[in-house]
Amino acid sequence: MARKKSNLLKMTDIKKKHKELDTIETYTFDDGKELKFSPFFKVSVIEELLRELAEKMNYAHEKGIEINDTFVLHYINFLCIKYFTHLKDSISDEFEKQLQEMEWLIDTGYYSKIINEVFLPQELHKVMDAVTDINSRAIFFEKLEKDLQRKLEKLDIFRMQILSKFDNNANESVE
């Protein structure tokens, strides 16, 4: 009877899979221009993208720049283009310049092609899932903080009532 081959995960398997994540492919647009891109999005790079997203959203808030859901979606996709294509080296780190570059990408049609034809939908979903996860955690902690604040306020009121009773009893004892 033949022994079953072990199917346990090994570090060599992980190393091989990680190496596959370093794959770079080339996409050729209708005008002959080429784009080098990562077909698979590394979690570590997604985390880097999310740090920049948070940083730029905070900056926009501080500067009073109007941000709506459509803009955020476009900006997240723009950051995917930045982090998962060779364009990273030429895309600015300054928010105002990025807005101009994003407009150029959208208006020329490259943005749509990259998002809809170049990137794999499941890879874009990984980024959106990460954003959603962070947002849901933030909402949870915000709710938790409000609940704790209400409980502390109730506790403070209760403490004041007890102190008031002690104070009244002490005044009655003295009289």
Side-chain angles (χ1 to χ4, degrees), residues 117-128:
E117 295 179 23
V118 176
F119 290 148
L120 296 170
Q122 64 267 25
E123 297 304 305
L124 290 170
H125 286 291
K126 282 170 43 177
V127 174
M128 294 306 171

Side-chain angles (χ1 to χ4, degrees), residues 1 37 66 79:
M1 185 153 136
F37 69 99
E66 279 291 315
L79 289 177

Side-chain angles (χ1 to χ4, degrees), residues 24 35-36 48 52 78-94 97-98 101:
I24 299 294
L35 179 77
K36 295 200 178 296
E48 190 179 335
E52 180 168 354
F78 172 77
L79 289 177
C80 287
I81 292 169
K82 177 180 178 180
Y83 281 89
F84 299 107
T85 73
H86 76 271
L87 293 172
K88 182 174 185 179
D89 297 334
S90 58
I91 291 178
S92 178
D93 288 327
E94 292 180 42
K97 288 181 182 177
Q98 286 181 342
E101 293 165 343

